[in-house]
Amino acid sequence: MNAIKFLIAAYVATWAIHGVYLASLVRRFSRLRQQSRELEKK
Amino acid sequence: MKRIFPILSVITAALLAYALYQALVVAPTDAQQGDVYRIIYYHVPSAWTAFLLFFINFIASIQYLVSAKASTKAAAKWIVLGIGVVGVIACFLPQVQRMLPVGMRPSAVATTVLAIPLFYFLIGRLFPGQKLDVLAVTTAEVGVVFCTIVLVTGPIWARPVWGIWWAPGDIRLTSTLVLWLIYVSYLVLRRFSNSAQTQMLAAALAVFGALDVPLVYFSIWFFRTQHPQPVIGGGGSMDPRMLHVLLISWIAFLCFAFLVCWSRFRLELLHREIEEAHAMESLLGAGAGSKASLPLSRSSR
């Protein structure tokens, strides 16, 4: 039973890392799109 | 192209869910480790994906370095071709085969050697000019993410099996950590250096960094380590059902990595486009009434 905790922890950690990275990509995309819109307005 | 990405995303999500089901439900329980061994289905595919991405980064970096001069580019083409031909022939010579570690098949080594010219010419054709550098930074960043997963899931797996989180001095573990540090420093260099030579310096660092990949991979063959011996292509035995699930999991992670790389590649192109537009704006002068436009066509992506 104790070993299951490690299995769950590994799987959760994997998706947490991917989730954080994907969130950073989305954040960077929206920031760049904002900059792009501002440039086009000028 | 706009439609392909959502379709591929749905296929990848379905594949990842199927791989998860296979890993947790279908794959048999290991007789020695119990269910905790199922970490292999995330740990190993992540490692293979990271190695592949660092390999692409290595090829793109070499292409970028040699593309500065036409003569160097032509010479590099022949050298890579020579490595492919000589490497494949050498793998089947008895003298070379005797030097290979026990369980390592010459055909597997020959295929790996053959991948060098194949990737070299494919990448050179698909990513001309500055896109090589964009590909290099993309694969390095996504590779670091997968390598981080390897370094996190490894100790989580080691604790219940070995009784320790980390084996200090173990060459497989240490070389993987060094590999991660090299690529993190590569990303830091790219992020904080504004020099005109940054891309060249980063490409040179990537070439040296990639030399650590074979060390990580072959360390368990050549050195006594705490890390288990290879279960595939290394003379080890793995239940065919486990191997089947491992390969499904790797395919799912490869598709996921491809989509993430695609997004990161587009992000980098957009970033450079905006930087170029800002530079143009500065050159033309803010008060001149000039209109700064995005230099690259969006339809090309």
Side-chain angles (χ1 to χ4, degrees):
Chain A
M1 186 60 201
N2 196 32
I4 294 290
K5 278 197 301 195
F6 289 99
L7 175 65
I8 295 167
Y11 278 42
V12 168
T14 299
W15 287 111
I17 292 165
H18 281 312
V20 167
Y21 181 62
L22 289 178
S24 89
L25 281 185
V26 170
R27 192 174 48 82
R28 281 188 273 176
F29 251 122
S30 43
R31 201 178 56 218
L32 286 175
R33 286 219 176 95
Q34 176 71 27
Q35 282 182 19
S36 160
R37 273 196 295 272
E38 280 168 13
L39 269 170
E40 278 168 0
K41 270 185 207 166
K42 281 182 187 175
Chain B
M1 288 296 264
K2 276 185 178 175
R3 277 188 187 170
I4 296 174
F5 192 84
I7 292 168
L8 280 180
S9 302
V10 171
I11 293 170
T12 304
L15 253 174
L16 285 166
Y18 179 65
L20 184 67
Y21 167 74
Q22 290 278 327
L24 294 178
V25 181
V26 177
T29 306
D30 186 74
Q32 288 179 333
Q33 295 185 31
D35 281 322
V36 78
Y37 98 95
R38 292 176 199 275
I39 294 175
I40 197 174
Y41 300 118
Y42 272 32
H43 179 76
V44 173
S46 297
W48 289 348
T49 309
F51 289 161
L52 180 67
L53 290 169
F54 291 148
F55 176 66
I56 295 172
N57 172 274
F58 169 66
I59 299 286
S61 300
I62 286 190
Q63 284 262 15
Y64 186 77
L65 283 173
V66 301
S67 64
K69 269 173 123 181
S71 57
T72 327
K73 198 176 176 180
K77 191 175 83 177
W78 288 107
I79 290 169
V80 170
L81 213 60
I83 289 171
V85 173
V86 173
V88 169
I89 294 168
C91 287
F92 294 99
L93 295 174
Q95 295 91 331
V96 176
Q97 285 182 4
R98 275 198 292 274
M99 287 159 62
L100 293 177
V102 179
M104 190 182 280
R105 283 195 296 271
S107 58
V109 182
T111 311
T112 312
V113 172
L114 209 60
I116 297 171
L118 193 76
F119 271 82
Y120 186 84
F121 293 113
L122 204 66
I123 287 170
R125 186 161 283 272
L126 293 175
F127 300 92
Q130 281 296 315
K131 283 188 178 174
L132 278 171
D133 187 55
V134 177
L135 178 70
V137 72
T138 298
T139 47
E141 196 175 292
V142 182
V144 164
V145 172
F146 277 92
C147 198
T148 307
I149 289 164
V150 176
L151 286 170
V152 170
T153 55
I156 295 174
W157 190 5
R159 183 69 184 87
V161 177
W162 300 345
I164 47 170
W165 294 99
W166 188 267
D170 184 282
I171 190 147
R172 168 53 83 89
L173 276 59
T174 310
S175 56
T176 310
L177 181 64
V178 169
L179 182 71
W180 183 82
L181 287 170
I182 290 171
Y183 280 95
V184 167
S185 54
Y186 170 92
L187 295 175
V188 170
L189 171 72
R190 301 209 64 130
R191 174 72 182 80
F192 295 107
S193 170
N194 290 320
S195 156
Q197 297 295 313
T198 301
Q199 293 170 344
M200 279 288 176
L201 287 172
L205 177 62
V207 171
F208 286 109
L211 296 177
D212 193 32
V213 175
L215 178 67
V216 175
Y217 189 73
F218 292 112
S219 59
I220 48 176
W221 266 288
F222 294 110
F223 300 96
R224 187 185 288 270
T225 72
Q226 182 85 21
H227 194 279
Q229 290 299 299
V231 286
I232 300 164
S237 59
M238 190 180 198
D239 188 307
R241 289 169 298 170
M242 292 178 177
L243 185 61
H244 176 77
V245 177
L246 189 63
L247 292 176
I248 288 172
S249 202
W250 190 37
I251 291 167
F253 273 104
L254 275 181
C255 291
F256 180 68
F258 174 75
L259 284 178
V260 177
C261 282
W262 188 350
S263 304
R264 181 63 185 88
F265 190 85
R266 285 172 57 203
L267 180 81
E268 186 64 22
L269 283 179
L270 183 62
H271 172 70
R272 289 177 186 212
E273 209 173 82
I274 289 170
E275 272 198 340
E276 228 173 289
H278 276 303
M280 289 262 281
E281 195 185 34
S282 310
L283 270 174
L284 294 169
S290 55
K291 198 176 172 82
S293 60
L294 297 179
L296 295 174
S297 161
R298 278 188 193 162
S299 58
S300 64
R301 270 169 275 136

